[in-house]
Amino acid sequence: MSDALAENSADAAPVSSADRISSLDFIRGLAVMGILAANIVAFGQPFEAYMYPTAFMVDAGDPGGWQWITQFIVIDGKMRGLFTLLFGAGVYLFMERTWARGGTRWRQMWRLFILMLFGMVHFYLIWPGDILFYYAVIGFVVVPCLRWSAKTQMAVGVIGYISGALLYALMMTPLYLAADTALGEEGGALAEMRGGMVQGKVDALAQGAIPAALIETGDYAGLVEHRVTEQWYEPLANVFFFGLETFPLMLLGIALYRTGFFSGGFDTGRMKKWGWAGLIGGGLVHLAIALLVRAEGFTYYSTLTGFVGWSPLPRLAMVLGMAALLVAYSPTGPGGWTGWLGSRISAAGRAAFTNYLGTSIVMMFLFHGWALGLFGDLNRPQLYGVTALTCALMLLWSKPWLERFRYGPLEWLWRCMTYGKIFPLKR
């Protein structure tokens, strides 16, 4: 999924990039599997169940909500955050190679445009949880920033992310206060908000029930029609909704790549120290948020506010902490994850574009009514079982394929479309 995907080690990359590529591949492999773990509920249940467990069509199988809490702390937003860092790093990696060949940033812009088309196909024909479209659009904004110094990219990324996180909190907290606290009953602006919010929840769940019913009955043509006519604006809305988080993270990914974060440019001891501090500190804040949501009974607006309004700041600490620890604890140095499992995870990362879109297609065959028809039938533990099996499939196919071929299937297609010519696929 990142811009480094089709530019893998089969290219004549600068030698100085080798360790960074290895590190990026390994982290990307973990992230693409983690994204599936985050999205699995929205694949197998109504989309609203991703945050709001009451939207499950069967008993969620999660007494006390502890599985929801665990996923919220460990997975939700963190895997996407890691992937966004890597996307930024991949944009710069691609441009390093393009500049070395005498190319310009227009090649990158064209490449992002193609990714945007992939995202539109993904959204309208496969699954509406697509991130490729808004990654590409936000990537257009990132490209003019590539010539900034790494220090400027880092500063703008940090300031931009924190500013966006505070804005999310200011936007979402009043919703929680109005809907789930006594402040919404005491008159004033919050009380006026509450009535409209109750109806807003009903409307949102009713709208979500329409595509859920079409998936359950297997009416694929009706589902696509609904996405085109009723959900057409969502890819653009996601650009604005996620932009305040995604753009800064891409800049941070670029800056970290350029300063050697992924290849041993930072002191390993300090990376471990700050990595654990970010992971544990951010995790504890997430736990506090999750316990508050649990105390409210996992209501619609408390879960929404927990996800969107309160978690972005501690999430940044966890994302950077995870990235630092994955690099620092590499068994043979930065990026040197080896052995049976490490090499297979790295291979899954090199074929992450194929794995990401391929996973969505596999989920269609599992859950849509025209196929196996499991939509709405599996509870949370069973959906996690599907996740484990699908991740195992990623690990099984990626390495043997890449031992025989230069690129993953979609990576090869994306590369050919980018350059307008057919590249050799077989090694």
Side-chain angles (χ1 to χ4, degrees):
M1 286 177 52
S2 93
D3 267 16
L5 289 177
E7 290 284 328
N8 64 27
S9 58
D11 279 321
V15 174
S16 61
S17 297
D19 286 341
R20 294 187 240 185
I21 295 169
S22 180
S23 180
L24 293 172
D25 287 340
F26 181 82
I27 299 173
R28 188 181 300 113
L30 288 178
V32 75
M33 291 187 286
I35 286 172
L36 173 60
N39 290 339
I40 190 63
V41 170
F43 276 120
Q45 292 287 336
F47 212 88
E48 291 72 22
Y50 179 91
M51 290 184 287
Y52 181 47
T54 303
F56 265 76
M57 296 171 65
V58 295
D59 183 272
D62 184 17
W66 294 109
Q67 294 175 55
W68 185 99
I69 290 172
T70 300
Q71 178 174 324
F72 175 75
I73 295 172
V74 179
I75 298 293
D76 289 327
K78 290 77 182 175
M79 300 301 109
R80 189 182 71 248
L82 281 174
F83 225 103
T84 309
L85 284 180
L86 299 179
F87 189 94
V91 166
Y92 198 84
L93 172 60
F94 181 86
M95 286 311 306
E96 276 188 328
R97 295 172 172 181
T98 301
W99 286 326
R101 297 168 182 149
T104 69
R105 285 178 285 187
W106 287 108
R107 179 72 67 184
Q108 180 70 271
M109 300 292 274
W110 173 244
R111 195 161 185 266
L112 290 170
F113 176 76
I114 295 169
L115 183 66
M116 186 178 71
L117 297 181
F118 274 114
M120 293 175 68
V121 171
H122 188 211
F123 179 90
Y124 291 109
L125 300 183
I126 303 174
W127 190 59
D130 171 73
I131 65 175
L132 299 177
F133 181 89
Y134 72 79
Y135 267 38
V137 174
I138 295 170
F140 292 146
V141 182
V142 168
V143 169
C145 308
L146 293 177
R147 292 291 193 183
W148 293 357
S149 68
K151 183 177 179 180
T152 299
Q153 290 165 345
M154 184 76 72
V156 173
V158 170
I159 294 171
Y161 189 97
I162 292 174
S163 300
L166 294 175
L167 180 60
Y168 286 136
L170 289 172
M171 290 169 55
M172 300 305 300
T173 301
L175 301 181
Y176 161 72
L177 295 175
D180 296 318
T181 72
L183 294 174
E185 302 173 349
E186 296 177 355
L190 292 179
E192 292 179 7
M193 287 176 58
R194 174 174 281 198
M197 290 170 61
V198 172
Q199 187 59 47
K201 169 189 169 182
V202 172
D203 292 343
L205 294 176
Q207 291 172 7
I210 297 172
L214 294 170
I215 293 172
E216 187 177 20
T217 60
D219 185 0
Y220 179 72
L223 180 65
V224 172
E225 181 184 3
H226 183 269
R227 288 175 183 164
V228 171
T229 59
E230 301 297 331
Q231 296 178 272
W232 61 268
Y233 62 90
E234 289 185 14
L236 291 172
N238 286 337
V239 173
F240 296 98
F241 185 77
F242 291 103
L244 296 176
E245 174 182 282
T246 302
F247 174 70
L249 282 177
M250 287 184 186
L251 286 182
L252 287 175
I254 294 170
L256 292 173
Y257 171 81
R258 295 177 67 189
T259 54
F261 177 87
F262 297 106
S263 57
F266 290 23
D267 179 74
T268 301
R270 290 187 177 182
M271 286 184 73
K272 292 179 179 179
K273 174 183 175 182
W274 290 107
W276 281 114
L279 188 63
I280 295 172
L284 290 174
V285 177
H286 273 82
L287 176 60
I289 295 170
L291 292 177
L292 188 153
V293 172
R294 182 176 185 268
E296 295 293 348
F298 298 101
T299 62
Y300 183 82
Y301 285 106
S302 68
T303 56
L304 182 64
T305 304
F307 268 87
V308 179
W310 297 334
S311 64
L313 271 180
R315 183 188 307 148
L316 177 63
M318 293 189 71
V319 168
L320 295 177
M322 287 178 177
L325 293 175
L326 287 170
V327 173
Y329 281 101
S330 169
T332 58
W337 289 94
T338 56
W340 183 88
L341 184 59
S343 62
R344 286 184 177 271
I345 292 174
S346 293
R350 287 181 60 201
F353 190 17
T354 301
N355 279 319
Y356 174 71
L357 284 177
T359 294
S360 295
I361 294 171
V362 169
M363 295 302 115
M364 289 178 67
F365 280 91
L366 285 176
F367 294 115
H368 282 232
W370 51 262
L372 290 181
L374 295 178
F375 185 81
D377 293 342
L378 304 184
N379 61 22
R380 191 178 286 273
Q382 292 167 333
L383 290 171
Y384 289 151
V386 171
T387 300
L389 291 173
T390 308
C391 289
L393 180 62
M394 292 186 205
L395 297 177
L396 285 173
W397 86 270
S398 300
K399 188 171 185 289
W401 176 277
L402 291 171
E403 288 172 348
R404 293 166 177 81
F405 300 96
R406 295 173 180 269
Y407 315 101
L410 289 182
E411 284 77 7
W412 174 79
L413 176 60
W414 188 14
R415 181 175 177 79
C416 292
M417 294 174 69
T418 297
Y419 291 98
K421 63 181 180 178
I422 303 298
F423 286 89
L425 179 59
K426 199 168 184 178
R427 288 192 178 279

